[in-house]
Amino acid sequence: DIQMTQSPSAMSASVGDRVTITCRASQGISNDLAWFQQKPGTVPKRLIYAASTLQSGVPSRFSGGGSGTEFTLTISSLQPEDFATYYCLQYNNSPFTFGPGTKVDIK
Amino acid sequence: QVQLVQSGAEVEKPGASVKVSCKASGYTFTDYYLHWVRQAPGQGLEWMGWIHTNSGGTHYAHNFHGRVTMTRDTSISTAYMELSSLGSDDTALYYCLLLAPSSSGVWGQGTTVTVSS
């Protein structure tokens, strides 16, 4: 099975900060990676798929990059509504696997 | 618009089984695989498996082999996830969702399953 790791596991940031989260796969997954945002008590929401394609309706301050084994999610200017937990998911190979999550909270 | 509507909360005793439904609307049901994911209280997301809604073919995560069964009824655009031999660590929110890049990426609202004696 493909293992996914994320770093950092948690971070504190301020409104306006540029934030980057990294996701690593234990083997190459091409660009078969999605990013999800989950706020407390709500259903996760897909932000990005195919590593860098923005889901319709998602603000352009979110961007994704990478290919193979290393991927990034970048928020160019953190907004109050972006404080949440972010998960990556590889869908290159079954079983699909999520990363453990990165919690972004207010500094 | 695309929607996945799940059945209501369930409370089951250890050793029992639970069956959760997921009714799709707003798109052609057989166009996309349907996935199931769960989230234990305060924990991360765990992928459980998928069902090919056209053929009925399935693929399950190793952790659930032998305990999970995913089925569908195309006549009512509904998928089902049944989990047997429940233990306390199966207490979680269970979600159905679309993952295909070409899909809307919609999730169901989640179904709480509580396992308690």
Side-chain angles (χ1 to χ4, degrees), chain A residues 89-98, chain B residues 22 29 32-38 46-62 64-65 68-72 79-82 95-100:
Chain A
L89 167 78
Q90 71 80 18
Y91 53 89
N92 178 263
N93 211 335
S94 284
F96 296 179
T97 39
F98 285 95
Chain B
C22 171
F29 180 66
Y32 301 113
Y33 289 56
L34 217 145
H35 298 255
W36 291 88
V37 165
R38 77 175 184 181
E46 183 178 19
W47 183 82
M48 300 180 68
W50 53 248
I51 182 165
H52 188 280
T53 47
N54 199 350
S55 68
T58 54
H59 185 98
Y60 305 135
H62 301 315
F64 301 98
H65 262 295
V68 69
T69 304
M70 295 177 188
T71 57
R72 93 285 188 235
Y80 304 91
M81 187 284 298
E82 184 169 19
Y95 295 102
C96 60
L97 63 148
L98 299 175
L99 276 179

Side-chain angles (χ1 to χ4, degrees), chain A residues 1 38 43 46 55 94 96, chain B residues 35 39 50 62 99 103-104:
Chain A
D1 297 0
Q38 187 178 32
V43 177
R46 187 169 70 181
Q55 183 74 37
S94 284
F96 296 179
Chain B
H35 298 255
Q39 186 169 37
W50 53 248
H62 301 315
L99 276 179
S103 75
S104 61

